[in-house]
Amino acid sequence: MTIKELRKSKGLTQEEASKICNVPLRSYKRLENDSSYLTSLRYKSAYSLLDSYKVYEPQSKYNILVIGAGYVGFSIAILLSINNQVSVIDINSDKVNKINNREPIFKDKEIEAWLKEKKLNLKAYLPNKELYKGQDYIIISIPTDYNIESGLLSTTGIENLVKEIRSVNKNVLIIIKSTCYIGFSETLKDKNVIYSPEFLREGKALHDNLYPSRIIIGGDKSNPKVKKYGLLMQSHSLNRAKVLYMSSKEAEAVKLFSNAYLALRVSYFNELDSFAIKNDINSKNVIEGVSLDSRIGDYYNNPSFGYGGYCLPKDTMSLISQMGGVENNELISSINRSNKSRKAYIVKDILALLKDIPNPVVGIYSLESKKGSGNIRYSSIQDVITDLERSGVQIIYLSDMSIEEFKKVSNLILTNRYDSQLDDVKNKVYTRDIFARD
Ligand SMILES: NC(=O)c1ccc[n+]([C@@H]2O[C@H](COP(=O)([O-])OP(=O)(O)OC[C@H]3O[C@@H](n4cnc5c(N)ncnc54)[C@H](O)[C@@H]3O)[C@@H](O)[C@H]2O)c1
């Protein structure tokens, strides 16, 4: 059997096999396609690693229902549907049709590959209480927006769903994956409702479910259903991620403190970058010098217009509210202020560059926070645009015209993340993407 046949017999994609064999994807593809490698040591070592890799074969297949087919729900549904019977409910009929036609509902390379290559036991439906019956697990992954009045994440949708589920199914284990405020799950007073936070990155949703950094289960480990759920999730991770059991309140805290740390880190490097702009020093040199200390780390340190996206702003705000009762709260309570002042600083810097141009036109290359994610929810560039418009700057969008016209008409081109398509107009581009990593 060749290495390609071996991989296929285990139902793995080339990317998964490359990770198991510990070789870059490009090198792995060569092992499969170039026969001159057949006798090489590298081929033999990769073959033996792949051969000894045990594909999860569940003792029993479960019936699983996922409510809310977004980044979180759809990726977990795909992951679990390889070995289990998975149903998905969403209120959006377009999404339901797409899922049933095996079409991707957002940009994600790995999900697209799985939809094409794997046999998935997955069916999507519009809301229907009948589907709550006969399930082993029900996973809730609907949005939890920030509620300005309470200062917390809104959990009304989850509360309604739990009530509805319990009216037809008293005992099924319900897993809340939506991000909640700390202490929410306890208020439901139901030992068969647990909280398990999600840490995926948009655009890499399935990848991060296949290789989770950790699996956090907020529920009573002595409840056999809870333990089994932890094992189910672990057995679907290709890195056999560590499972940590704790109380639901602690698990909710893990999620909010993780996202607040990420927001804090973005803000820290952005403030460093603002200092560099103001003092005319090279931000890249300073960040590299700072980050090579292994305690700090050379990653997640690229300046931007500010953190954005669906999660970091709302989760940080919710934690800030909950920190209100803690005397020692200076650092966390200032994250949001730092992000606002970063955006204001960027606007000021741009306006200074435009000051001698009459009726300046600023072109928006992309509204995305993360390059190629296709997601523009709450991206920081949108706040920058609003403030520029208030200052009388005319804004145009690449999405409304050809790239040639866009480059010609714009006095300045704004992009949170750089793209080589802009190489010929580099002198017009305004970005703080100083590392321009993909
Ligand atoms: N996006 C992320 O990177 C991420 C990461 C970790 C945690 N989370 C959290 O997970 C939750 C979901 O986030 P998301 O990004 O997947 O959201 P999303 O907006 O991408 O998807 C949510 C889906 O739920 C559907 N929906 C809403 N109400 C519903 C209902 N009552 N019944 C059935 N379907 C319903 C919507 O139509 C939508 O398709 C949020 O609490 C979020 O904070 C998100």
Side-chain angles (χ1 to χ4, degrees), residues 59-187:
Q59 302 296 308
S60 52
K61 291 188 190 296
Y62 294 113
N63 289 322
I64 300 169
L65 173 67
V66 178
I67 308 179
Y71 287 89
V72 173
F74 189 48
S75 54
I76 201 170
I78 292 215
L79 175 81
L80 294 174
S81 68
I82 197 90
N83 292 312
N84 305 283
Q85 189 59 51
V86 179
S87 308
V88 182
I89 289 182
D90 203 285
I91 48 175
N92 180 329
S93 57
D94 185 42
K95 277 193 178 178
V96 169
N97 290 335
K98 281 191 169 145
I99 295 172
N100 287 334
N101 292 330
R102 297 291 181 267
E103 289 170 36
I105 52 175
F106 47 77
K107 268 195 191 174
D108 189 302
K109 240 175 53 198
E110 225 132 3
I111 289 185
E112 284 160 35
W114 273 48
L115 286 171
K116 263 194 221 138
E117 292 166 22
K118 306 231 177 193
K119 188 180 171 310
L120 307 174
N121 305 308
L122 176 69
K123 199 150 174 16
Y125 304 85
L126 285 167
N128 176 355
K129 270 165 95 170
E130 284 304 300
L131 288 166
Y132 301 156
K133 296 177 185 164
Q135 303 291 351
D136 297 297
Y137 301 109
I138 298 185
I139 297 171
I140 299 181
S141 48
I142 62 168
T144 44
D145 292 344
Y146 181 69
N147 180 327
I148 298 176
E149 276 165 35
S150 67
L152 298 172
L153 298 176
S154 171
T155 48
T156 317
I158 301 178
E159 286 160 51
N160 292 340
L161 282 174
V162 171
K163 263 188 217 144
E164 223 176 68
I165 295 167
R166 285 291 175 247
S167 71
V168 290
N169 190 335
K170 297 274 174 248
N171 296 315
V172 64
L173 189 75
I174 301 176
I175 300 101
I176 302 173
K177 288 235 105 200
S178 304
T179 305
C180 301
Y181 64 83
I182 302 166
F184 165 67
S185 306
E186 262 181 24
T187 66

Side-chain angles (χ1 to χ4, degrees), residues 28-307:
Y28 178 80
K29 284 184 177 166
R30 266 189 241 124
L31 295 180
E32 279 201 358
N33 301 326
D34 185 342
S35 57
S36 67
Y37 282 93
L38 274 173
T39 51
S40 71
L41 261 181
R42 195 165 215 196
Y43 185 95
K44 284 181 187 151
S45 137
Y47 194 99
S48 125
L49 281 168
L50 204 57
D51 198 25
S52 56
Y53 184 79
K54 283 202 174 37
V55 175
Y56 170 67
E57 276 176 26
Q59 302 296 308
S60 52
K61 291 188 190 296
Y62 294 113
N63 289 322
I64 300 169
L65 173 67
V66 178
I67 308 179
Y71 287 89
V72 173
F74 189 48
S75 54
I76 201 170
I78 292 215
L79 175 81
L80 294 174
S81 68
I82 197 90
N83 292 312
N84 305 283
Q85 189 59 51
V86 179
S87 308
V88 182
I89 289 182
D90 203 285
I91 48 175
N92 180 329
S93 57
D94 185 42
K95 277 193 178 178
V96 169
N97 290 335
K98 281 191 169 145
I99 295 172
N100 287 334
N101 292 330
R102 297 291 181 267
E103 289 170 36
I105 52 175
F106 47 77
K107 268 195 191 174
D108 189 302
K109 240 175 53 198
E110 225 132 3
I111 289 185
E112 284 160 35
W114 273 48
L115 286 171
K116 263 194 221 138
E117 292 166 22
K118 306 231 177 193
K119 188 180 171 310
L120 307 174
N121 305 308
L122 176 69
K123 199 150 174 16
Y125 304 85
L126 285 167
N128 176 355
K129 270 165 95 170
E130 284 304 300
L131 288 166
Y132 301 156
K133 296 177 185 164
Q135 303 291 351
D136 297 297
Y137 301 109
I138 298 185
I139 297 171
I140 299 181
S141 48
I142 62 168
T144 44
D145 292 344
Y146 181 69
N147 180 327
I148 298 176
E149 276 165 35
S150 67
L152 298 172
L153 298 176
S154 171
T155 48
T156 317
I158 301 178
E159 286 160 51
N160 292 340
L161 282 174
V162 171
K163 263 188 217 144
E164 223 176 68
I165 295 167
R166 285 291 175 247
S167 71
V168 290
N169 190 335
K170 297 274 174 248
N171 296 315
V172 64
L173 189 75
I174 301 176
I175 300 101
I176 302 173
K177 288 235 105 200
S178 304
T179 305
C180 301
Y181 64 83
I182 302 166
F184 165 67
S185 306
E186 262 181 24
T187 66
L188 298 170
K189 298 192 177 11
D190 184 330
K191 67 176 177 28
N192 285 321
V193 176
I194 63 169
Y195 177 73
S196 176
E198 179 57 58
F199 302 100
L200 61 79
R201 294 162 297 172
E202 288 172 5
K204 298 204 168 180
L206 181 56
H207 177 276
D208 291 348
N209 264 299
L210 284 164
Y211 304 94
S213 43
R214 68 285 206 200
I215 296 167
I216 304 281
I217 307 283
D220 179 5
K221 191 182 172 183
S222 65
N223 177 345
K225 288 190 213 173
V226 175
K227 189 77 200 282
K228 262 193 186 167
Y229 178 75
L231 293 175
L232 172 77
M233 292 316 296
Q234 184 182 46
S235 59
H236 280 77
S237 66
L238 288 177
N239 59 348
R240 298 298 185 259
K242 189 167 179 172
V243 185
L244 297 178
Y245 294 90
M246 58 186 74
S247 72
S248 60
K249 203 169 182 178
E250 287 159 354
E252 286 154 351
V254 169
K255 176 64 195 171
L256 289 195
F257 277 94
S258 298
N259 270 2
Y261 175 75
L262 297 176
L264 177 89
R265 190 168 162 112
V266 172
S267 303
Y268 180 85
F269 285 102
N270 281 343
E271 287 198 8
L272 184 164
D273 184 57
S274 297
F275 179 89
I277 297 172
K278 178 95 180 174
N279 289 279
D280 206 15
I281 55 175
N282 187 325
S283 187
K284 190 175 184 187
N285 288 343
V286 182
I287 292 177
E288 267 173 358
V290 166
S291 300
L292 283 172
D293 183 326
S294 61
R295 292 168 300 177
I296 298 171
D298 191 11
Y299 51 84
Y300 209 63
N301 54 5
N302 194 14
S304 63
F305 295 162
Y307 63 79

Side-chain angles (χ1 to χ4, degrees), residues 374-386:
N375 195 346
I376 61 168
R377 290 192 286 187
Y378 306 101
S379 61
S380 51
I381 196 171
Q382 300 186 56
D383 292 331
V384 171
I385 293 169
T386 306

